[in-house]
Amino acid sequence: MQVTVETLGVQGSFLVNVFSDKSCPGLLVSVLEAFDELGLSVLQATASCADSFRLEAVGGENVADNVDEHVVKQAVLQAVRNCSESGSEQDEE
C-alpha cells in the first residue's frame, strides 16, 4: 500500500495518491468518507478499482485549520486499514 499526500499551492488543498496491488470492496467509499470527515471536498479524482486500486484525488475547501498533509495521510491510511480488516472478516465467514 502506498499513500502520498502533497499540499498544493492553494491553502487547504491536497493531492492524494493511493495505490494498492489489490482492491477490496468499499475501499473507494472508505477513502472518500475520510475526506468528508476532514472537511475536504473532492475537486477532481481519477480512480481504478479493477484488480489493483489506484486513486488520484485533489481535495480542497478545507474548513478545519489543523488539517495538514500528515493528518490527511493518516486518515486515508486508517480508511484503507478499516476496509482491509472488514474484507478479511468477510473472507472468513
Side-chain angles (χ1 to χ4, degrees), residues 55-72:
L55 171 67
E56 180 178 277
V58 176
E61 301 174 9
N62 175 18
V63 294
D65 293 333
N66 60 347
V67 175
D68 61 12
E69 290 178 19
H70 179 73
V71 171
V72 174

Side-chain angles (χ1 to χ4, degrees), residues 24-66:
C24 72
L27 183 53
L28 180 59
V29 172
S30 186
V31 171
L32 294 177
E33 286 174 346
F35 267 56
D36 189 47
E37 289 171 10
L38 293 173
L40 296 175
S41 298
V42 177
L43 304 176
Q44 179 179 343
T46 305
S48 171
C49 306
D51 295 329
S52 62
F53 178 84
R54 182 179 303 270
L55 171 67
E56 180 178 277
V58 176
E61 301 174 9
N62 175 18
V63 294
D65 293 333
N66 60 347

